[in-house]
Amino acid sequence: MALISPYPTQAQDAEKLTLRQAVVLALQNSRELKLARMQYNVALDEARVDRAEFRPNLYTGAGAAYTHGFPSLPGGQAPSVFQLDYTQTLFNPLLKGQQRAAEERAKNQKIEMDRTRDGVIVRTATVYLELAKVKHSLELMRAEEASAEKILEVVRERVGANQELPIEVTRSQLTLARIRERIVKLGDRADILEAQIRDLTAIPESQSIEVDQEEPSFAEALSAEPAEAGMVDLAVRNDRSVAEAENERSAREHILRGARLSYWPTVDLVGQYSVLSKFNNYEDFYKTFERNNFNIGLQVTIPIFAAKTSANVALAKSQLNAAELSLGQKRQEVRLDAQQKFRSVRESDASRDVARLDLQLAQETLQLVQAKFDQGRATLQDVEQARLDESDKWVAFLDADFARQQAQLALLEATGQLAKVFP
């Protein structure tokens, strides 16, 4: 038997904000996502800085210096009117390892950007679905308020006719007060959720928000991997914290390799062109004076004894071991978390089925009571009480359905399948 909503359907021509539209707007306007993209660009630029050491670098400059005695600058170079320097590192394992480590860590920033995107999707979807649930519950509670008012009126008439005790009036008033309390709380919650939706999607205050109460297709996305083992393996493969730990381990491997190769010589390509002047009295120190000077060659630095190299190797090795242990621990944590999320979905499915059948039973009971009322075998109070029970079961079903949707969203995020629902 299908579940029948007790309140009238709204006009079909009313423009509604769908869940997909809300998510698209949130992704377009999210300040967190924009910041994550900027941080990713910063990480890429930092990696380019390390890579620049292995690319041509050309510098020029000019200046003037007073010299007494042999003409030279404090660094040992000759004072020149114009100078052009060229440097490029050809082989430096330690710098190369640091460069590749920076590139691996830049990948982590890309992963962080994707995590932020998923977080925006989940937060928007959760707020949207809760707002739909709260608005649905509000309409149910207003219908329940009308039934409670009718029951109170009937009870007062029966007390006036000495057919009920006065305590029944107080009991009916208490029921009505509790319903009105829930309406107030639901109304306040709806205002908060609507403000959150506006903040996420940048919808202006002048534009009303009407949410769509259709069932999202989360279950279809999860049905591709129904088994728990499949879901857990998918979570481990797609988990971003595991990917970050793998990138960190790869970065540590590059640093260790660079540290071990640091026992080998480093090679740099260097060149210089300079224009010397006569006012530094070069002619007094050299028989021949060449104003234009050019030299290019390789600068090879051979480590004979470098205590820092062995220390770097030991440090890189311990850091790699720590990264490998962290990766193993992260995989185990993700596996356990995915198992828990899978079981939460299964438990919420079972709870929703119970709530659905409970609601169906209340609806069938209401139909029976209504039939008895039409035959004169039930009172108006009996009918309105059955409607109250049905409304309560509707609200319980909506709560169970929302809990199921939350569990499904959490599992979709954990297994990296949000793109199936929100491409």
Side-chain angles (χ1 to χ4, degrees):
M1 177 181 176
L3 302 181
I4 303 172
S5 177
Y7 61 93
T9 305
Q10 296 178 355
Q12 295 296 322
D13 57 354
E15 186 175 354
K16 292 182 179 180
L17 176 70
T18 65
L19 176 58
R20 189 178 299 276
Q21 289 171 343
V23 169
V24 170
L25 287 173
L27 291 175
Q28 290 175 352
N29 296 284
S30 172
R31 292 180 292 272
E32 291 180 66
L33 192 54
K34 291 176 182 177
L35 177 60
R37 291 193 186 105
M38 186 62 65
Q39 290 172 337
Y40 175 53
N41 291 331
V42 170
L44 291 178
D45 291 338
E46 289 176 347
R48 291 190 189 101
V49 170
D50 293 333
R51 195 183 307 119
E53 293 287 338
F54 296 90
R55 294 184 174 180
N57 296 275
L58 198 62
Y59 305 93
T60 187
Y66 170 77
T67 61
H68 178 73
F70 185 78
S72 66
L73 294 177
Q77 294 182 343
S80 58
V81 178
F82 171 79
Q83 184 169 309
L84 188 67
D85 294 310
Y86 176 91
T87 62
Q88 181 181 359
T89 300
L90 300 180
F91 182 75
N92 189 320
L94 190 59
L95 288 180
K96 178 60 71 173
Q98 293 172 352
Q99 173 210 324
R100 290 175 176 168
E103 291 170 351
E104 293 293 335
R105 287 166 179 154
K107 294 178 184 178
N108 280 357
Q109 199 59 52
K110 172 65 166 58
I111 293 172
E112 189 63 32
M113 184 178 70
D114 293 338
R115 179 188 284 118
T116 301
R117 181 181 184 277
D118 283 358
V120 171
I121 291 174
V122 171
R123 188 160 60 253
T124 304
T126 301
V127 173
Y128 180 96
L129 293 171
E130 187 179 359
L131 179 60
K133 183 205 75 163
V134 168
K135 287 194 171 184
H136 194 161
S137 299
L138 262 175
E139 299 198 27
L140 290 169
M141 295 307 298
R142 290 190 179 107
E144 192 170 336
E145 180 185 24
S147 295
E149 288 174 347
K150 290 180 181 179
I151 291 176
L152 178 59
E153 183 179 351
V154 170
V155 169
R156 280 174 174 164
E157 291 176 357
R158 291 176 63 86
V159 169
N162 293 323
Q163 295 176 344
E164 294 282 357
L165 294 175
I167 193 174
E168 296 301 325
V169 174
T170 305
R171 182 176 288 113
S172 298
Q173 288 175 335
L174 177 60
T175 300
L176 180 60
R178 285 173 175 167
I179 293 172
R180 287 173 175 169
E181 179 190 22
R182 293 180 68 182
I183 290 175
V184 171
K185 290 181 177 179
L186 286 171
D188 291 343
R189 183 60 182 165
D191 292 340
I192 293 172
L193 292 170
E194 189 169 317
Q196 291 178 356
I197 280 286
R198 292 187 188 279
D199 181 64
L200 288 166
T201 60
I203 295 177
E205 294 285 343
S206 58
Q207 181 179 345
S208 61
I209 296 178
E210 187 66 36
V211 295
D212 193 352
Q213 296 174 356
E214 290 186 4
E215 180 80 11
S217 57
F218 297 156
E220 295 178 6
L222 292 172
S223 61
E225 292 283 351
E228 180 178 353
M231 280 292 184
V232 171
D233 291 340
L234 194 63
V236 173
R237 288 198 305 270
N238 295 328
D239 186 80
R240 291 190 169 89
S241 60
V242 172
E244 287 177 339
E246 289 173 345
N247 289 338
E248 182 62 23
R249 181 189 62 180
S250 181
R252 295 300 180 184
E253 287 174 345
H254 287 307
I255 292 176
L256 177 60
R257 185 174 183 273
R260 284 174 172 168
L261 290 176
S262 294
Y263 291 105
W264 291 82
T266 60
V267 181
D268 298 284
L269 177 63
V270 295
Q272 186 182 79
Y273 170 73
S274 58
V275 179
L276 305 181
S277 62
K278 295 183 178 180
F279 58 75
N280 288 100
N281 302 320
Y282 271 95
E283 297 169 324
D284 297 338
F285 293 91
Y286 298 98
K287 293 182 179 179
T288 58
F289 171 69
E290 180 62 46
R291 186 173 187 183
N292 295 283
N293 294 268
F294 174 76
N295 59 73
I296 187 170
L298 297 176
Q299 179 178 330
V300 180
T301 304
I302 303 174
I304 298 176
F305 176 77
K308 189 176 181 180
T309 301
S310 59
N312 284 336
V313 170
L315 176 61
K317 189 181 296 183
S318 62
Q319 289 176 335
L320 176 59
N321 291 336
E324 289 177 343
L325 289 174
S326 177
L327 174 59
Q329 181 180 0
K330 183 60 66 176
R331 283 175 175 162
Q332 183 63 21
E333 290 175 357
V334 169
R335 186 174 296 277
L336 294 174
D337 184 64
Q339 289 174 347
Q340 180 61 43
K341 284 183 169 62
F342 181 85
R343 290 165 186 170
S344 295
V345 170
R346 189 168 56 191
E347 291 170 4
S348 62
D349 284 341
S351 299
R352 182 182 181 275
D353 285 341
V354 171
R356 177 182 60 81
L357 291 172
D358 206 9
L359 172 58
Q360 183 175 328
L361 180 61
Q363 290 179 332
E364 293 173 355
T365 302
L366 175 59
Q367 291 175 356
L368 291 175
V369 174
Q370 184 68 50
K372 289 181 180 180
F373 177 75
D374 294 339
Q375 298 171 2
R377 294 188 295 124
T379 64
L380 178 62
Q381 183 179 2
D382 295 332
V383 175
E384 296 303 330
Q385 185 61 51
R387 285 178 179 167
L388 283 178
D389 293 339
E390 186 212 17
S391 295
D392 286 338
K393 301 306 180 184
W394 253 113
V395 173
F397 172 75
L398 292 176
D399 290 338
D401 192 45
F402 177 62
R404 174 179 177 245
Q405 291 167 344
Q406 283 184 303
Q408 289 174 336
L409 273 173
L411 185 57
L412 286 171
E413 183 182 18
T415 55
Q417 298 184 91
L418 279 176
K420 291 184 179 180
V421 183
F422 306 102

